[in-house]
Amino acid sequence: MKRYICILLLIFLLFGSTDVFAWGQKGHAIVAYVAEKHLTRKARKAVDEILEGKSMVYYASWLDNIQNSPYWKGGYDRTKTWHYYNVDEGYTPQTMPRNPKGDVLTALNMVIDSLENHQKELSDSVKFDYLCMLIHLVGDMHCPMHVGRLSDKGGNWLVIKWFGDKTNLHTLWDSKLVESVHAWSYTEWQHNLDRCTKAEFKEMSAGTPEDWLLETWKITVDIYANVKTDENYSYKYVYDYAPVVERQFLLAGYRLAALLNRIFG
Ligand SMILES: [Zn+2]
């Protein structure tokens, strides 16, 4: 049995990390850590209890990992489309036909509603799943290429060069750009960015998941308008988009905190 688990773990390490629909782990850790810093005492206690003492950062990428783990196949397969929302050219998030298998907006609204209005009916394990999903999906919703076009699989088929190396637009925005903007740990990202006043926090964390998706999509439209296939991007791209990356992390963290404070506070 032990050997079997080791083989599964090896398969997962080799192939599981190539998930094409996720902020990188760093991005999710930053969002979760920023949010953790803004929880009310009551919300922190409830979150602690559900996560059995582990941090939100610890579970920030849980959904990416569990959906790719063959050990869990079946149970979490249905969540594979929950990380993104496609909007093709010529459409808006409102006019684009929805993915019948689900998307980040439907999934996020479902877990919010379940935790907020039906918590008493949920088993401990479902509560744990939904909280981990909430932590992850707020992050994904703020990643521009998670609201990318269906025609190029959210930028996965749009090949570009990054400092001379071949990559694609989705991977660039998930992780490569993040690492180029600042070579910081997730705690350093929080320390250096999370400096807003209470009034700014309130303003930035306002709105609904529908509003946040629309905001992210507007950024995605700008990214597509300025991208050329096979172009070699480097320092200028980092300079141009660093403020966008920074703001999206902060917005996602603040909004996640506000949601958790509303649900558990
Ligand atoms: Zn994801």
Side-chain angles (χ1 to χ4, degrees):
M1 185 63 185
K2 224 173 182 178
R3 206 171 143 197
Y4 177 64
I5 291 171
C6 282
I7 292 167
L8 287 181
L9 195 66
L10 186 68
I11 293 169
F12 170 66
L13 287 173
L14 284 173
F15 302 105
S17 61
T18 57
D19 175 41
V20 290
F21 295 118
W23 259 131
Q25 293 196 347
K26 175 71 74 66
H28 283 291
I30 297 165
V31 172
Y33 194 58
V34 169
E36 259 186 354
K37 292 279 178 190
H38 292 272
L39 293 186
T40 60
R41 191 183 290 227
K42 219 172 151 195
R44 176 178 289 275
K45 195 167 171 267
V47 168
D48 264 359
E49 239 172 71
I50 297 171
L51 301 183
E52 295 183 332
K54 287 214 163 58
S55 70
M56 283 167 56
V57 172
Y58 187 91
Y59 287 115
S61 293
W62 170 89
L63 191 60
D64 283 335
N65 299 337
I66 205 153
Q67 65 154 6
N68 281 308
S69 164
Y71 182 68
W72 289 103
K73 212 162 180 78
Y76 294 90
D77 256 12
R78 70 195 168 98
T79 68
K80 284 207 171 216
T81 59
W82 292 10
H83 304 250
Y84 56 94
Y85 188 112
N86 289 131
V87 184
D88 268 330
E89 202 178 3
Y91 290 91
T92 68
Q94 291 96 337
T95 60
M96 179 77 188
R98 300 288 282 267
N99 187 339
K101 289 182 178 169
D103 53 56
V104 68
L105 183 61
T106 312
L108 185 56
N109 278 330
M110 185 277 286
V111 292
I112 293 170
D113 178 56
S114 300
L115 288 170
E116 195 164 25
N117 304 316
H118 308 281
Q119 211 185 127
K120 287 205 173 88
E121 302 150 37
L122 305 178
S123 68
D124 285 351
S125 74
V126 171
K127 227 189 287 181
F128 169 85
D129 281 12
Y130 285 0
L131 176 56
C132 292
M133 286 172 185
L134 179 61
I135 295 166
H136 185 84
L137 296 177
V138 172
D140 274 349
M141 182 177 266
H142 288 79
C143 183
M145 294 319 294
H146 285 237
V147 195
R149 294 174 184 164
L150 180 63
S151 58
D152 63 16
K153 295 278 176 235
N156 276 292
W157 290 352
L158 209 156
V159 177
I160 51 158
K161 278 193 195 125
W162 185 244
F163 287 92
D165 291 333
K166 203 170 154 184
T167 186
N168 64 69
L169 193 62
H170 190 99
T171 305
L172 174 67
W173 273 87
D174 266 7
S175 51
K176 289 180 192 289
L177 179 59
V178 176
E179 294 299 340
S180 301
V181 168
H182 300 294
W184 292 336
S185 65
Y186 69 85
T187 54
E188 290 165 339
W189 272 88
Q190 183 275 333
H191 175 75
N192 291 301
L193 285 182
D194 182 13
R195 285 156 185 272
C196 296
T197 62
K198 273 194 175 156
E200 285 167 330
F201 173 88
K202 207 172 161 199
E203 192 201 332
M204 288 167 79
S205 58
T208 64
E210 283 77 6
D211 300 329
W212 307 336
L213 183 91
L214 204 62
E215 277 180 36
T216 308
W217 170 68
K218 284 177 184 163
I219 297 169
T220 317
V221 169
D222 168 70
I223 293 168
Y224 273 114
N226 291 304
V227 76
K228 287 193 204 96
T229 311
D230 292 326
E231 181 86 9
N232 183 25
Y233 291 103
S234 63
Y235 295 106
K236 190 180 179 302
Y237 200 89
V238 177
Y239 178 80
D240 287 345
Y241 283 109
V244 176
V245 173
E246 292 171 358
R247 188 170 160 78
Q248 288 306 98
F249 284 147
L250 212 49
L251 285 172
Y254 286 0
R255 287 164 179 176
L256 176 57
L259 277 174
L260 293 171
N261 289 341
R262 197 179 82 198
I263 293 168
F264 299 112

